[in-house]
Amino acid sequence: MSTKGDRRTFRNEDLVLKVSENIDPANWDESKYEAFVDELCGYRDYQKDAIRTTLRYLLGGKYNDLRTLAKENFDQNTELKERYGSWAAMERQLQLPDQLSCSLDQATGSGKSYVLYGIAAILLAEGAVDRVLVLCPSNTIEDGLLKKFKELACNSDLRDLLPPSARVATPRIINASESIVDGSICVENYHAILENVKSSIRESLKGKGARVAVLNDEAHHVANESGKTSKKWKDFLHDSDYGFRFVIGVSGTCYVGDDYFADVVHRYSLRQAIEEKFVKKVEYVDELPAAAENPEEKWQLIYNRHKDWKKKLKSRGIRPLTIVVTKTIADAERVAEELQDFLQEWERIDPGQAAAKVLCVTSAAKHQPNVARLRTVDNPASKVEWIVSVSMLSEGWDVKNVFQIVPHEERAFNSKLLIAQVLGRGLRRPDGWKGEEPVVTVFNHDAWSGRIKHLINEVLEIERRLISTVDPKSPFNFELHHLDYTRSEDATEYAKKGEYKLFEEGYVDLPTQVEAEDVTVGFERAVTGEHVKFRTTIQHKTWTVEEVAEQMIQKLKSIDEESKDAADPKDRTSYAKRFPLAKCEEIVRASLKRAKIKSEKITDDNRQKFWQALGTLRRKAAKRVVYKLSPKALALMNTSDRQDESCSAAELRRGSKTVFYAPGCETTLVDDQREFFREVEDEDGDFVNGRVVVATSVGFKTPANIVIADATPERKFVRELTGRENALKIDAWLKNTPMGFYSVEYAWKKGNKPKRGEFSPDFFIKQGESVFVVEVKGDEEISDPAADNVKKHEYAAEHFKRLNDWLEKEKIPTRYQFNMISPKSYNVFFQKLRNGGLAGFRSELDVGVAGAGDGEG
């Protein structure tokens, strides 16, 4: 673990639970199976270590359950203490603490199936269990595991190396269509455990869990998925009707979102797998040319990289695959169609040939034949070069000639789990590869490169933060009232009469263009950090002079057609007569000549310039829109519903935010915040400028455990609120969050553009039946208020007036008062508050912004 600035960084390897090697041979003698494990795993020592570690944990007699193992490690491992803060916090992260359960982190492409089979076969041979159930998340994975397990079970060399005392030498490999009998390994999609699905699992295993081992492939599904169906997987493992004792998960992505599993007992990382050459190297984009912003031209870059791989791999007899990963089935279908159209145009092939090159793989029924075709894409006879897939369906593809992966949306890269899954699709090395190490290209958006690097570096980086929460049981909670509005537009139009002046200079000003642009894509190699440049040429789409002129005249004709029935003859245009086709061509040629473009071809960017020149012709009127808000219902809120807000160590260190808290605050914090809070409390520490301790809880009449103040005006205001004199005169108060709790809608102008927004007043102060609503600003706003603050004040004042009118009509005694206040008026504000005379108070800023609003045109 290291602390860099205001972030704590933990290496995943330091969070792995250590299983004791000090095991009594009378309980478990692993030497009996050494020959078997050596033959099964060959030179892949990491697989052997995973099998040995798991069996020592399950059979060594040292651990009763996962909780025992985790507690032993927490007590001995300072990294775990730093990561979780307390044993209770770590214990909450354990998925199945009461069972002998654990996870194995095995890099995708490194042969997880061998580890699964080794554990299953030895547990059966040793007689530790009677049956093994292997659950996986998809039919694709199930088919792959069944095939691999049958091959291994029938391998006589493996069978002969089991000890003579083996209870089961040749396990039966089945799925849940058959009864699960003693001596069998049942491999099944986890959907078979559902009550409404017909399978043998429930009747075969109910009440027999103590003699059954459950192995979960792609175990991150158990921890991450929360849908009704997938949640049943974890419920099944917990179910006391079965009483499973041995539960092992294997995954190449041991993350819940970005957090590393708390129960990993063996780790073979992606970085190790790359360094030890068990998987391909990975390169990812760290710099894209501007042309990549155009979707068609980005396709060209991807296509050119694919062609480059084809050229390099031709001598090896390998046809490379590119996988495009999308968010949804609909996206996959759309992207597959786009790709087929692109290939038709660029390779000049017919639709049937293009369709043969693109395989769309999703869970949709119509794509199931494609799932079957997926098994043959490595075959030299296959014509498939491009696979479009939904990200979560891509597990289990045992495809070795993937050399490019394209995450189509940012969602594919918004967590370590998803990054690792997407990368995993291309990591497997082609059989018999010799020479320079194979590389898989991830053609990501360059803005995402940091996330990939972070994953490869195998770190869990936690920004240290303090979180302000509201205690729902606090006596300082109080009710607030709001209005539910309907919004209507009040629009005023200013008519435009007659035709616009058009092409007065006889040309459109065009920038210099190139039809074939030389570009460079920068890649960074994972692990080594080596930078690689891929230089290529993209062809910009071009149009002839005649095509652009024809598009111009058609647009002019459509404008004339729309105006022909206008009531006022002045509004009937005749642009097409003024600018016939020949005239349009003349303008296009003049524009090209002026821009020194000699080819008489126009790139798409420059074609858009001609369209922009015609863009205002349809605009027959200017419109001024004013939004009117009409209350339709009274809404009751409570301060206990305010969401959390937080501030970072960096903000407290530099003093841009300040936390206020009362004695005893530490007990309200979750465990992993407490250590940081103690640093904040240290009077000689780095955060002394970012914290204020309120002397007694009497002065802290807010339901929040911590109050976070932004900048100096808010900080001064909270100091006043928590001062003893003022606190005694207040029933309770709440610091609002910047968004999401109590907000007021307003409209304003930025330049000439109307804008709508919401703002959240900073404070609600309850005194008897009065609630004083305060927005805090700096003194500079008094003489020169910002336009948006003028409108915030106007709309908020109107809102609370309407609210008071509604409350009066409903005979509810509560009344609200809104003030916008700056430090110059704090003394008067709090003096009036102490004297009970705050009703009707107006600050200097209230007067200043109201005056600015009155002066608006």
Side-chain angles (χ1 to χ4, degrees):
M1 185 272 295
S2 66
T3 302
K4 293 184 179 179
D6 299 311
R7 303 181 79 88
R8 284 281 168 86
T9 301
F10 300 88
R11 293 190 64 80
N12 290 343
E13 63 192 39
D14 295 330
L15 304 177
V16 173
L17 305 182
K18 302 292 186 285
V19 175
S20 175
E21 295 184 18
N22 185 22
I23 299 297
D24 184 350
N27 290 329
W28 168 238
D29 181 6
E30 65 185 32
S31 65
K32 293 190 298 181
Y33 294 93
E34 277 302 294
F36 173 84
V37 171
D38 280 342
E39 178 67 21
L40 174 68
C41 302
Y43 57 88
R44 299 182 295 272
D45 288 343
Y46 60 88
Q47 294 176 351
K48 300 174 190 177
D49 290 341
I51 293 170
R52 293 185 192 114
T53 300
T54 305
L55 293 170
R56 281 200 301 271
Y57 169 55
L58 297 179
L59 305 179
K62 190 172 177 64
Y63 305 102
N64 295 321
D65 49 34
L66 172 61
R67 182 181 285 105
T68 310
L69 172 68
K71 183 64 165 68
E72 177 181 276
N73 276 264
F74 183 84
D75 291 341
Q76 297 173 4
N77 184 341
T78 56
E79 299 290 317
L80 290 174
K81 290 178 180 177
E82 294 282 358
R83 165 66 183 91
Y84 294 105
S86 72
W87 162 242
M90 182 177 179
E91 188 178 24
R92 285 195 294 271
Q93 300 302 314
L94 302 176
Q95 295 284 331
L96 302 167
D98 299 317
Q99 291 148 280
L100 270 168
S101 68
C102 66
S103 295
L104 307 177
D105 184 356
Q106 301 288 291
T108 301
S110 63
K112 296 193 296 294
S113 57
Y114 290 92
V115 175
L116 286 166
Y117 183 80
I119 293 168
I122 292 173
L123 287 174
L124 288 171
E126 187 68 8
V129 299
D130 300 323
R131 313 164 196 196
V132 177
L133 174 63
V134 181
L135 293 174
C136 54
S138 73
N139 291 330
T140 306
I141 298 176
E142 179 189 339
D143 292 344
L145 286 176
L146 279 169
K147 181 181 177 183
K148 176 64 72 176
F149 280 18
K150 285 176 180 177
E151 288 175 2
L152 294 172
C154 294
N155 185 325
S156 59
D157 291 337
L158 268 181
R159 187 169 58 242
D160 294 344
L161 291 171
L162 288 169
S165 60
R167 299 277 184 90
V168 178
T170 307
R172 289 185 67 216
I173 310 301
I174 62 172
N175 63 17
S177 63
E178 302 179 48
S179 293
I180 307 172
V181 297
D182 287 358
S184 61
I185 301 175
C186 176
V187 180
E188 189 51 81
N189 186 327
Y190 82 91
H191 289 90
I193 66 178
L194 305 178
E195 290 182 5
N196 62 336
V197 176
K198 187 176 180 180
S199 81
S200 65
I201 291 179
R202 290 183 174 273
E203 61 184 50
S204 297
L205 302 184
K206 191 157 284 191
K208 300 174 182 175
R211 298 285 302 166
V212 176
V214 183
L215 309 184
N216 300 296
D217 192 16
E218 305 294 355
H220 51 271
H221 287 271
V222 182
N224 280 276
E225 297 189 11
S226 56
K228 289 183 180 178
T229 301
S230 51
K231 198 176 177 187
K232 298 284 186 183
W233 191 344
K234 186 173 179 182
D235 292 342
F236 173 73
L237 301 176
H238 268 299
D239 197 332
S240 58
D241 286 349
Y242 300 96
F244 296 122
R245 178 155 172 72
F246 295 155
V247 182
I248 307 302
V250 182
S251 174
T253 51
C254 288
Y255 295 97
V256 179
D258 281 336
D259 290 334
Y260 196 59
F261 281 9
D263 65 350
V264 175
V265 299
H266 183 271
R267 171 175 173 78
Y268 184 66
S269 69
L270 177 58
R271 186 184 188 93
Q272 286 173 281
I274 293 171
E275 288 177 338
E276 295 175 7
K277 302 180 181 179
F278 284 110
V279 299
K280 296 189 189 100
K281 288 183 177 179
V282 177
E283 68 178 16
Y284 48 87
V285 172
D286 68 351
E287 183 182 359
L288 279 173
E293 296 300 319
N294 180 310
E296 182 172 322
E297 291 174 0
K298 185 172 183 181
W299 272 123
Q300 280 190 58
L301 292 173
I302 294 164
Y303 175 75
N304 289 354
R305 189 60 168 165
H306 179 85
K307 279 204 319 181
D308 188 59
W309 278 122
K310 280 181 76 173
K311 182 179 176 182
K312 289 176 178 177
L313 296 169
K314 187 175 180 180
S315 62
R316 294 178 180 269
I318 295 174
R319 187 190 62 264
L321 288 170
T322 289
I323 295 180
V324 184
V325 185
T326 68
K327 179 180 177 183
T328 65
I329 292 173
D331 289 338
E333 292 178 332
R334 178 178 53 77
V335 170
E337 288 176 6
E338 281 179 13
L339 184 51
Q340 288 176 35
D341 291 343
F342 178 87
L343 293 174
Q344 277 182 249
E345 180 180 354
W346 283 88
E347 296 189 353
R348 294 184 173 88
I349 55 179
D350 63 43
Q353 290 172 308
K357 292 191 173 195
V358 179
L359 192 66
C360 186
V361 181
T362 78
S363 60
K366 63 184 174 182
H367 294 142
Q368 290 315 293
N370 292 352
V371 176
R373 286 177 62 197
L374 193 61
R375 301 187 186 106
T376 64
V377 293
D378 273 342
N379 190 306
S382 171
K383 291 183 169 57
V384 175
E385 294 184 29
W386 304 79
I387 297 171
V388 183
S389 160
V390 177
S391 57
M392 296 304 283
L393 296 175
S394 52
E395 295 162 336
W397 290 6
D398 191 16
V399 179
K400 297 175 180 176
N401 59 342
V402 174
F403 281 81
Q404 183 168 233
I405 302 167
V406 183
H408 196 256
E409 299 100 348
E410 185 168 3
R411 180 197 171 278
F413 270 41
N414 67 5
S415 76
K416 287 186 179 179
L417 173 63
L418 288 171
I419 295 171
Q421 285 176 325
V422 171
L423 286 181
R425 306 292 58 83
L427 290 174
R428 288 180 174 83
R429 294 164 63 100
D431 293 332
W433 183 281
K434 292 180 180 179
E436 186 179 355
E437 289 304 298
V439 180
V440 61
T441 297
V442 183
F443 211 103
N444 53 286
H445 191 290
D446 52 357
W448 312 340
S449 60
R451 301 181 191 178
I452 307 173
K453 190 171 187 175
H454 202 248
L455 172 82
I456 300 294
N457 287 340
E458 300 163 11
V459 295
L460 172 65
E461 189 172 76
I462 301 174
E463 185 177 37
R464 300 196 294 166
R465 302 185 74 84
L466 287 181
I467 300 175
S468 168
T469 62
V470 169
D471 178 2
K473 297 179 181 177
S474 169
F476 298 120
N477 280 307
F478 54 97
E479 288 185 342
L480 293 170
H481 301 86
H482 211 319
L483 290 172
D484 189 6
Y485 286 102
T486 57
R487 186 191 309 114
S488 59
E489 289 185 4
D490 182 13
T492 306
E493 288 199 348
Y494 300 90
K496 166 72 176 72
K497 296 293 183 182
E499 292 187 349
Y500 284 86
K501 293 178 180 178
L502 191 61
F503 300 129
E504 287 186 288
E505 295 177 323
Y507 62 84
V508 172
D509 197 13
L510 301 178
T512 301
Q513 68 177 35
V514 290
E515 292 152 35
E517 183 179 354
D518 295 331
V519 297
T520 300
V521 180
F523 293 99
E524 182 173 340
R525 292 272 166 90
V527 180
T528 64
E530 176 190 0
H531 289 272
V532 180
K533 299 293 185 185
F534 171 58
R535 293 177 176 82
T536 188
T537 301
I538 58 170
Q539 301 291 329
H540 294 295
K541 185 167 185 175
T542 59
W543 307 79
T544 65
V545 171
E546 291 76 17
E547 286 172 331
V548 172
E550 179 64 31
Q551 291 172 22
M552 290 169 65
I553 192 67
Q554 291 304 324
K555 185 169 184 179
L556 294 173
K557 284 179 179 178
S558 69
I559 294 168
D560 292 343
E561 181 66 22
E562 288 175 14
S563 69
K564 70 177 183 180
D565 296 324
D568 188 339
K570 290 182 179 178
D571 289 335
R572 299 170 195 165
T573 63
S574 56
Y575 292 118
K577 285 185 179 178
R578 287 173 52 202
F579 297 96
L581 183 59
K583 182 67 175 174
C584 288
E585 288 185 12
E586 184 183 318
I587 291 167
V588 174
R589 285 195 167 88
S591 304
L592 294 177
K593 184 177 180 181
R594 189 172 186 278
K596 296 187 167 89
I597 298 170
K598 298 178 180 178
S599 66
E600 292 223 333
K601 290 184 179 178
I602 299 101
T603 62
D604 202 54
D605 282 348
N606 274 340
R607 182 183 69 96
Q608 294 293 335
K609 301 292 183 188
F610 289 98
W611 277 77
Q612 289 165 12
L614 303 177
T616 59
L617 300 186
R618 291 184 190 272
R619 202 185 308 148
K620 301 309 298 179
K623 182 186 284 189
R624 181 188 177 195
V625 179
V626 177
Y627 292 96
K628 292 187 175 179
L629 299 174
S630 305
K632 62 179 181 180
L634 185 67
L636 190 63
M637 306 172 67
N638 194 288
T639 56
S640 61
D641 297 323
R642 194 210 76 175
Q643 71 270 49
D644 295 348
E645 69 168 325
S646 66
C647 60
S648 70
E651 291 169 324
L652 295 178
R653 186 189 303 280
R654 62 177 178 258
S656 60
K657 290 194 176 182
T658 302
V659 290
F660 289 75
Y661 55 88
C665 176
E666 184 178 336
T667 62
T668 70
L669 300 173
V670 295
D671 297 315
D672 56 3
Q673 291 183 56
R674 289 183 180 179
E675 184 198 356
F676 175 41
F677 180 76
R678 294 181 199 118
E679 290 183 43
V680 171
E681 277 203 301
D682 184 355
E683 293 184 0
D684 299 316
D686 294 340
F687 303 100
V688 66
N689 294 325
R691 61 113 172 99
V692 175
V693 185
V694 179
T696 65
S697 56
V698 175
F700 204 62
K701 289 186 173 180
T702 178
N705 62 340
I706 291 171
V707 172
I708 300 170
D710 297 336
T712 301
E714 276 192 16
R715 197 157 42 235
K716 288 182 176 178
F717 194 81
V718 177
R719 284 185 189 276
E720 292 286 353
L721 277 173
T722 54
R724 182 175 176 80
E725 279 187 306
N726 296 325
L728 289 171
K729 299 295 182 179
I730 294 170
D731 296 334
W733 60 277
L734 180 77
K735 171 73 165 54
N736 199 4
T737 49
M739 59 181 65
F741 180 54
Y742 196 115
S743 59
V744 177
E745 189 170 342
Y746 72 107
W748 59 294
K749 268 189 176 182
K750 186 171 184 178
N752 291 319
K753 293 186 177 180
K755 296 178 72 70
R756 284 191 303 112
E758 292 183 347
F759 87 100
S760 300
D762 294 319
F763 297 93
F764 293 87
I765 305 167
K766 179 170 171 52
Q767 187 182 51
E769 299 293 353
S770 297
V771 177
F772 299 103
V773 185
V774 176
E775 173 74 0
V776 172
K777 299 293 178 188
D779 284 333
E780 68 279 0
E781 290 285 325
I782 296 173
S783 58
D784 187 20
D788 60 330
N789 286 335
V790 171
K791 287 300 182 181
K792 285 178 184 177
H793 188 278
E794 177 187 324
Y795 276 73
E798 290 174 358
H799 163 74
F800 287 108
K801 182 180 183 304
R802 282 192 291 266
L803 178 58
N804 286 335
D805 291 343
W806 197 297
L807 293 171
E808 185 175 6
K809 184 175 67 176
E810 296 286 334
K811 296 184 169 51
I812 297 171
T814 306
R815 294 293 180 270
Y816 291 79
Q817 176 174 303
F818 175 75
N819 293 107
M820 192 173 276
I821 185 170
S822 69
K824 192 171 183 181
S825 298
Y826 286 0
N827 285 342
V828 178
F829 177 91
F830 282 102
Q831 183 176 326
K832 290 290 184 181
L833 181 142
R834 292 191 297 273
N835 296 339
L838 196 52
F841 166 83
R842 294 186 77 206
S843 70
E844 290 201 34
L845 184 53
D846 284 324
V847 174
V849 294
D854 293 340
E856 286 189 350

